[in-house]
Amino acid sequence: MADIYKTLQGGARLSFGGDEFVFVELSEDMRIPQALAIQALTQRIAALDVAGVIDVCPAHASYMIRFDSELVDLDGLLALLDDMHAQASGEASASIETSIIDVPVYYDDPWTRETLMKFRDRHQDPDSTDIDYVARINGYAGADELAAAHAEHPFLVTFPNFVPGNAESVQLVPRERQIEAPKYKRPRTETPSRAVGHGGAFTNVYPSFGAGGVQLIGRTPIDIVDMDQARPDFAESPVLFTAGALLAFRRIDGDEYVDIRRRVEAGEYRVRRAPVVFSVARHLDDWHGYNRELKEALR
């Protein structure tokens, strides 16, 4: 490990975290095609099951590999990564085997509203609710228009983070169409479980009650984590939103929220999902039409 930094074919920058981590940064900003390419690369790396590689973790504009220095052939791993970046030959070549997940959301719900009203002194606009504030700064007429835009196109999970089940996702739309919002000036000390939040260009769902700092825009009635994997929806993973998954947020009203939550608690509800192969080339060619096609997979 003579060199601290290494440039891979295609321009990605590789660096080390002690004798345990390799960090690969594709750029300093995030773009949708690049984020998709990262998901495809990390899926391929994980599938190779390289001796000594413990974990492969994708993020928005980078990925990290954890390895056992006593078991890994580090020179061989670095050569493999270099070859894989060369073979990628551009963002448009990537495809991802994944699934699209139906996520019902009660936008502007009473539970998150009650919570956020306790913390207006920490907010950029003390006289507004979070969802009205996000709508206004993004040019929407109000909460209804914001909710419609948020639910119109799928999101890609780019970064599982911090708490099991919590994952940041970005909407599959051009940058000028992204919903963007700052985090609170100071974090809340309360956030309801299953609250849907938006900060920066990313939406996340809080898996459990706790502190938080992103704008609260709604709540989902479905659970997104089951560490015991006791329920069928979590048979393959203790978290619902895995890296590379597509999330189709769906607007529901209060009655449907209560009905779904009742069925979840009774063990009668099953999350709708469908397998898809996501093509970056098709996204680049017609993102709007392709998004409609992806959502049709859930019908």
Side-chain angles (χ1 to χ4, degrees):
M1 202 185 303
D3 297 326
I4 299 176
Y5 301 106
K6 176 181 175 65
T7 300
L8 300 175
Q9 296 188 61
R13 174 170 153 164
L14 182 149
S15 58
F16 297 95
D19 60 357
E20 199 175 2
F21 298 97
V22 166
F23 178 69
V24 180
E25 186 178 25
L26 274 69
S27 75
E28 294 182 356
D29 66 339
M30 197 212 78
R31 290 170 285 119
I32 297 294
Q34 173 186 279
L36 292 164
I38 288 169
Q39 298 297 328
L41 274 168
T42 52
Q43 281 191 6
R44 289 176 58 202
I45 296 166
L48 291 174
D49 197 21
V50 177
V53 170
I54 300 169
D55 203 359
V56 184
C57 305
H60 304 310
S62 61
Y63 65 90
M64 185 167 65
I65 298 173
R66 184 183 181 192
F67 61 89
D68 185 330
S69 59
E70 295 185 0
L71 298 178
V72 76
D73 172 7
L74 187 56
D75 288 338
L77 175 61
L78 298 184
L80 174 66
L81 296 178
D82 200 36
D83 287 344
M84 292 183 75
H85 278 258
Q87 292 168 15
S89 65
E91 297 161 338
S93 67
S95 64
I96 306 168
E97 292 186 10
T98 186
S99 61
I100 185 166
I101 302 170
D102 173 65
V103 186
V105 179
Y106 182 9
Y107 290 95
D108 199 14
D109 66 282
W111 302 281
T112 57
R113 177 182 283 262
E114 179 183 9
T115 298
L116 65 87
M117 293 306 294
K118 298 179 183 179
F119 299 97
R120 301 325 290 166
D121 62 320
R122 308 179 183 212
H123 196 272
Q124 290 85 356
D125 187 351
D127 298 323
S128 176
T129 63
D130 288 8
I131 193 168
D132 286 332
Y133 170 72
V134 175
R136 177 169 55 80
I137 65 174
N138 282 277
Y140 295 105
D144 284 345
E145 278 195 12
L146 186 281
H150 189 267
E152 184 178 7
H153 296 286
F155 284 67
L156 170 73
V157 176
T158 51
F159 185 33
N161 56 46
F162 308 126
V163 178
N166 196 354
E168 294 184 357
S169 61
V170 62
Q171 197 168 31
L172 294 169
V173 297
R175 178 169 291 187
E176 64 273 13
R177 294 281 298 270
Q178 293 289 341
I179 298 167
E180 296 188 358
K183 294 183 178 181
Y184 277 45
K185 295 188 293 183
R186 289 184 293 126
R188 298 178 304 274
T189 56
E190 300 176 23
T191 306
S193 62
R194 307 185 314 281
V196 179
H198 196 86
F202 304 101
T203 286
N204 71 298
V205 179
Y206 288 82
S208 57
F209 177 89
V214 301
Q215 309 289 335
L216 300 180
I217 62 174
R219 196 180 194 194
T220 180
I222 65 173
D223 294 326
I224 63 168
V225 64
D226 178 4
M227 297 307 294
D228 295 328
Q229 294 183 255
R231 289 170 286 176
D233 288 330
F234 299 90
E236 295 183 3
S237 170
V239 301
L240 192 61
F241 302 158
T242 54
L246 303 179
L247 309 181
F249 293 105
R250 174 170 58 88
R251 192 176 186 182
I252 60 174
D253 61 18
D255 290 340
E256 188 172 0
Y257 176 96
V258 171
D259 178 63
I260 293 175
R261 189 62 198 160
R262 178 192 59 79
R263 288 189 284 149
V264 168
E265 293 176 343
E268 301 169 353
Y269 186 83
R270 294 293 176 270
V271 173
R272 291 194 299 133
R273 69 178 88 196
V276 294
V277 177
F278 189 98
S279 165
V280 179
R282 295 197 61 194
H283 167 78
L284 293 173
D285 181 57
D286 177 18
W287 65 270
H288 197 280
Y290 192 39
N291 284 348
R292 285 201 306 269
E293 181 180 325
L294 289 167
K295 293 183 75 171
E296 285 291 325
L298 287 169
R299 293 185 182 275

